[in-house]
Structures are given as structure tokens and as C-alpha cells.
Amino acid sequence: MKRNALLIAMIVLTALTMQAQPRRNGGGKWEGLARTPQMGWSSWNRFQGNISEDIIKGIADAMVETGLRDAGYVYINIDDCWHGQRDADGFIQVDPAKFPSGMKALADYMHSKNLKLGIYSDAGTRTCAGMPGSLGHEYQDALQYARWEVDYLKYDWCNANNINPRGAYALMRDALRASGRPIFFSMCEWGTNQPWEWAADVGHSWRTTGDITSRFAGTPRQRGWGQTVLSIIDQNGPLRKYAGPNHWNDPDMLEVGNGMSENEDRAHFTMWCMMAAPLILGNDLRNMSKATCDILMNRDMIAIDQDTLGVQGLRYKDLEGLQCWFKPLAGGDWAFTILNSTEQDITFNLNWQDFNLTDDEVSHLSTNFDTIVYRVYNLWSHKQEGKTSKQNKVERKLVVKGHDVIAYRLTKAN
Ligand code: GLA
């Protein structure tokens, strides 16, 4: 009897371990790396090209000391401008002035802190900042990253004018696979070629828009570029049916802590979680306010992003600037967010029966407020706020501040 129990335990353990290990799936990308959206930090939004070994190490230290690593942020990603020249054999080198100890030493540093190292390249001849691109060197670059023990590659799309996007991204996917090291593949072609339609087997995530800026609202500066939080939500929201475990829509890196107001930062972070977006921080972690840290560390909100059902939230209603979003969660829970896209505070009469909905597009789950009573948990005050009522009457008045959110987790009460 005892022996049987031991045997069963061993079989279950082996199965679980196999599941947790990244693996190659026949001919496709590395699997097992993106069961939930990736979490980490990237140098671009705050530092652009002004990066160095010291900055990156300092960020890694702060990631650990602040508790952000333990909240789930494990990738430290170096974006554009780490590059030196190619050597005589064509292998890319780091810029020795910026990274005197080299990339392998930096990867070792990350791994010693239970963090992972990310790097950046481009499918074209040059990166967006004019550094050497990977075109014609794909297998060699992937091999070099693997030798350095890099864990993540963001692959951009500048200076790639005449190449076929599907071919270019599949080529790097194959090169990463052939390198033998499980490397997360973050595609960054800004949604130009609708990667959501063809890249589920190519990348672990794909950008869906042009670059974000630290502006909440207003007109995007140029077509495609200079996006705002709201313009990105408008573009990324409708793509929900294409996202899911192992292949996520990426509405770009976070701008929390980079100059927007506290309520705008909170709304931005909430909406990225509602959209099951990658949570890649973009601020200077060595030097952030308590308010910024509290937003990024909200584990209740992170749990909405990382929920294992893996369904991107849906915009159910837009009531003159108040956007009502629902995200189905594992175990029958729902996340519900009211986003005030206007600058004025708005008073809102919350009546749960107005929100009887079925997610026809993805999960096929229904809220059923007529028959199910949920406990209401406020994801920002971290307090229970009663239950959803069965009666068809106005439940309560809420004031949603301008450019802010009210966000709840609903859990079945019976
Ligand atoms: C593009 C990308 C950005 C960033 C820069 C770097 O604009 O979309 O996220 O990586 O290139 O040059």
C-alpha cells in the first residue's frame, strides 16, 4: 500500500517536473516559458541608450531589495544600445565601455540573484538606434546569446524594409531553438503585420502598437508612434481573442513612475493587468517613490494579470467615458474595472444586474448576477466591500476619479 502511494507520488512528481521544464515542441518555439504573461524590467523607457553595467546591476539589486522580484518580476532586459562590433568571425560583441565585464558575467550576476537576463536585437540590418541588426547573422546571434546564458530576446523591426516578417521572425525562433537554450522570444514589430494572426507558434508575445510614452491621454504624436495609455488600450483591447497562455498581446512596457500622476499610473497598471499584458517595468527602480512601488507591488492586481485561465479582459460597455471591463478568472472569479477615461470625476450608480454578460468570444463564461452572488473585494484598498445583490436595484454610488479606476475581484459567495 505504502509502496503504491510512493510510486504514484513519484509518477505525479515526474509529470509535474516535465510540465514545468521548458521544452522544444516539434519544429516550433520553446514551450513552457510563457504560461502567464512575462514580468520584469526593461531599460528603454527610462534610459534609452544611456545604459551601463552599473545601472543594470543596480536595477537588479533594487528588484531584489524592494521585493519586486518576489512579487514575480524576474526578467532584467537590456534594450537597444548594448552592442559593440562583430568580431572577425561575425560574432556580436558587447560595447566594452558600457559593459566592461561582458554579457556572460552580467548573466551570472542575474542568475546568482534568481533573476533572468534579457537582451535586444532587430530583424533588419540595424536596430532602431542604429546598432548592428541580426539580418544574416540569426543563428550566430542566437548561439552567442545562448553562450552568454541570456534568457530573453526582444526582436525589433527597424531597417527590415524588404524582408518577409513571418519568415524573419520564424527564422530567429528556429535559431533560438537550435541554440539549445530556452530563450523567451518577445516579438516587437508593433502590430504592423498583424502578428496576432500568424505568430502564436513563433513568439511568446508580440507588440500590438507603436511605442508608448508617459502620457495618459491626448493625440498620439505621430501615426503609430508616441502612443498614450488610452490610445494603446483602444488598439490592444479588440485583439483579445488572439491572446492566451504561451502567446500574449504586448501593449508595450509600463510607464508607471515615469511622470504621469499617481491615479494615471494606477489606471495604467490596472488596465495592463486587465488585458493580461506582459508587465515589463520601465522606471528607475533604484529611485522610486513609495506610491510608485506600491502600485507595482500590488499583488492582488498582479494576480489578475497572472491568472492561470489566461484570458484577456473585455470592454463590456463604454458609458460616456467610463469604460467597464471584465476579465474572467480561474475558478469562476471575475475582475471588474471601471476606467474613467475623462479628466472629470464621474459619479456612477453601480447596479450589478446591468452587467449580466457572456464572454462569447473567448471563455464562454457568464457573470450571471441574477443567480450568482459574489463577494466584492476592492483591488486597491484591499478591503471587502459587501456582496453583489440579487435584487434589481441600484446598489451604491461610486465616484470614479478622472483618469483613475475602481477595480474589484468578484468571488462566488456560495
Ligand atoms: C523600437 C521599439 C522600442 C525600443 C526601441 C529601441 O522603437 O519599439 O520598444 O526597443 O526601438 O531603439
Side-chain angles (χ1 to χ4, degrees):
M1 193 60 198
K2 257 192 182 161
R3 194 183 303 157
N4 276 352
L6 194 69
L7 202 65
I8 291 169
M10 280 174 66
I11 292 170
V12 170
L13 203 67
T14 316
L16 284 176
T17 325
M18 283 172 67
Q19 186 110 38
Q21 291 300 319
R23 61 191 185 280
R24 304 177 212 197
N25 81 357
K29 67 188 183 188
W30 284 103
E31 292 292 345
L33 296 177
R35 183 71 188 78
T36 59
Q38 68 270 32
M39 293 174 66
W41 175 89
S42 159
S43 54
W44 186 255
N45 283 357
R46 174 65 181 75
F47 296 99
Q48 286 87 52
N50 305 314
I51 47 173
S52 69
E53 188 173 303
D54 285 348
I55 293 177
I56 304 294
K57 281 173 139 179
I59 293 287
D61 296 346
M63 194 70 114
V64 177
E65 283 155 18
T66 52
L68 284 164
R69 178 200 61 191
D70 294 341
Y73 300 94
V74 292
Y75 289 105
I76 304 284
N77 297 344
I78 307 174
D79 208 281
D80 209 343
C81 302
W82 57 267
H83 316 67
Q85 300 303 314
R86 294 190 179 279
D87 69 12
D89 296 324
F91 282 101
I92 188 75
Q93 307 298 311
V94 290
D95 178 337
K98 288 177 173 169
F99 295 92
S101 312
M103 206 53 94
K104 172 71 169 65
L106 202 51
D108 290 346
Y109 189 78
M110 297 304 161
H111 298 149
S112 75
K113 291 180 167 278
N114 284 327
L115 292 165
K116 293 171 188 277
L117 182 65
I119 210 170
Y120 161 99
S121 189
D122 187 290
T125 50
R126 301 226 150 244
T127 71
C128 298
M131 302 291 144
S134 288
L135 186 64
H137 292 273
E138 292 84 358
Y139 275 76
Q140 206 173 20
D141 284 357
L143 184 59
Q144 182 74 314
Y145 307 151
R147 284 180 181 155
W148 287 338
E149 299 188 10
V150 161
D151 305 293
Y152 186 111
L153 174 67
K154 171 174 167 182
Y155 205 45
D156 218 334
W157 191 237
C158 280
N159 307 303
N161 300 334
N162 292 316
I163 60 177
N164 175 327
R166 298 189 190 202
Y169 280 94
L171 181 59
M172 186 45 101
R173 170 207 58 194
D174 293 346
L176 292 173
R177 206 185 59 224
S179 81
R181 184 171 175 85
I183 295 179
F184 190 107
F185 192 29
S186 157
M187 296 172 51
C188 178
E189 60 73 82
W190 325 305
T192 317
N193 301 283
Q194 295 79 45
W196 44 88
E197 285 176 356
W198 49 266
D201 292 333
V202 181
H204 298 103
S205 64
W206 48 75
R207 282 275 298 279
T208 55
T209 73
D211 287 5
I212 194 169
T213 53
S214 61
R215 290 187 312 140
F216 194 80
T219 323
R221 282 201 195 101
Q222 306 165 27
R223 200 175 159 272
W225 302 102
Q227 296 290 328
T228 68
V229 168
L230 289 179
S231 71
I232 288 185
I233 291 172
D234 284 345
Q235 294 163 77
N236 191 67
L239 300 174
R240 61 186 296 267
K241 75 169 181 214
Y242 299 102
N246 305 313
H247 51 90
W248 305 101
N249 288 323
D250 175 2
D252 207 356
M253 304 169 287
L254 291 160
E255 291 281 14
V256 175
N258 281 343
M260 284 184 282
S261 68
E262 187 179 332
N263 49 319
E264 289 175 335
D265 274 352
R266 179 170 42 246
H268 170 30
F269 189 73
T270 303
M271 290 313 302
W272 263 231
C273 292
M274 288 297 288
M275 296 193 296
L279 298 180
I280 303 295
L281 311 179
N283 59 314
D284 187 349
L285 305 183
R286 302 166 306 173
N287 206 347
M288 61 179 159
S289 68
K290 177 161 185 317
T292 295
C293 192
D294 286 349
I295 290 173
L296 303 178
M297 282 278 269
N298 182 344
R299 286 176 185 257
D300 288 331
M301 193 52 83
I302 293 171
I304 302 300
D305 181 77
Q306 295 288 301
D307 182 80
T308 53
L309 194 61
V311 176
Q312 181 174 327
L314 66 105
R315 173 157 31 181
Y316 179 56
K317 277 187 184 170
D318 199 331
L319 308 166
E320 291 167 23
L322 280 190
Q323 300 181 14
C324 302
W325 288 76
F326 281 83
K327 182 180 196 284
L329 305 172
D333 284 13
W334 288 84
F336 169 53
T337 293
I338 312 172
L339 165 68
N340 184 348
S341 63
T342 78
E343 285 176 355
Q344 280 76 47
D345 299 356
I346 300 181
T347 305
F348 174 67
N349 291 323
L350 177 62
N351 180 358
W352 293 106
Q353 272 67 33
D354 291 342
F355 296 111
N356 280 316
L357 64 95
T358 299
D359 170 15
D360 289 322
E361 205 178 24
V362 184
S363 71
H364 305 288
L365 293 166
S366 306
T367 52
N368 287 325
F369 286 111
D370 288 333
T371 50
I372 301 174
V373 177
Y374 298 87
R375 276 183 281 118
V376 180
Y377 177 76
N378 187 315
L379 289 163
W380 284 107
S381 71
H382 308 286
K383 294 203 171 99
Q384 294 290 345
E385 290 189 9
K387 293 180 182 170
T388 57
S389 158
K390 275 190 191 171
Q391 292 119 43
N392 195 7
K393 66 177 170 58
V394 171
E395 177 90 335
R396 65 182 104 174
K397 269 191 166 60
L398 298 172
V399 179
V400 197
K401 298 227 169 77
H403 289 184
D404 206 342
V405 286
I406 290 187
Y408 293 125
R409 183 179 186 120
L410 308 177
T411 303
K412 278 182 197 166
N414 40 17

